[in-house]
Amino acid sequence: MKIIHFALLLVMSVSWWQCDFINPEEGIPSYLFIEEFTLTTGPAQGSNSHKITEAWVFVDDIFLGVYDLPATVPVLETGSHTVRVEAGIRDNGLGDFPNIYPFSPTF
């Protein structure tokens, strides 16, 4: 009977420890709010019409994802970091081919 109790106690203690291993404590995210992009052109650059529909977000050159605008982006970093947001378009107007807008500066 002692062996059964010991085995049961061993299984319970290992399974209790595994919960922290599988689901570790997560940090509290910071949030970036990105409004819709506006395109400004000069006199020799043509129309300021655009179809910028999403933002490509990078933190310290690590890609976080593509977000539809306006977007609230969760960031799990702490301290001071470099954030880069690039305007996103759909190649040839097709929804299946997102791409970074090649004519926009980095924000």
Side-chain angles (χ1 to χ4, degrees):
M1 196 65 161
K2 288 183 180 185
I3 293 176
I4 293 174
H5 284 81
F6 178 73
L8 183 60
L9 181 64
L10 182 65
V11 168
M12 288 174 45
S13 64
V14 168
S15 65
W16 178 72
W17 176 77
Q18 292 294 332
C19 291
D20 289 337
F21 181 72
I22 294 171
N23 191 13
E25 187 174 325
E26 298 172 1
I28 299 172
S30 300
Y31 292 95
L32 296 173
F33 178 72
I34 304 169
E35 296 179 2
E36 294 190 23
F37 284 90
T38 56
L39 180 64
T40 305
T41 58
Q45 294 177 326
S47 170
N48 65 350
S49 170
H50 66 81
K51 288 286 187 178
I52 297 172
T53 56
E54 61 254 336
W56 293 57
V57 181
F58 301 83
V59 173
D60 294 332
D61 291 327
I62 298 173
F63 180 63
L64 291 185
V66 179
Y67 297 89
D68 289 328
L69 295 175
T72 301
V73 181
V75 180
L76 287 174
E77 303 296 332
T78 58
S80 182
H81 293 276
T82 302
V83 176
R84 181 171 49 126
V85 178
E86 303 230 6
I89 59 171
R90 297 294 176 161
D91 248 359
N92 299 325
L94 298 174
D96 294 338
F97 302 106
N99 201 357
I100 294 176
Y101 187 64
F103 304 110
S104 69
T106 302
F107 298 98

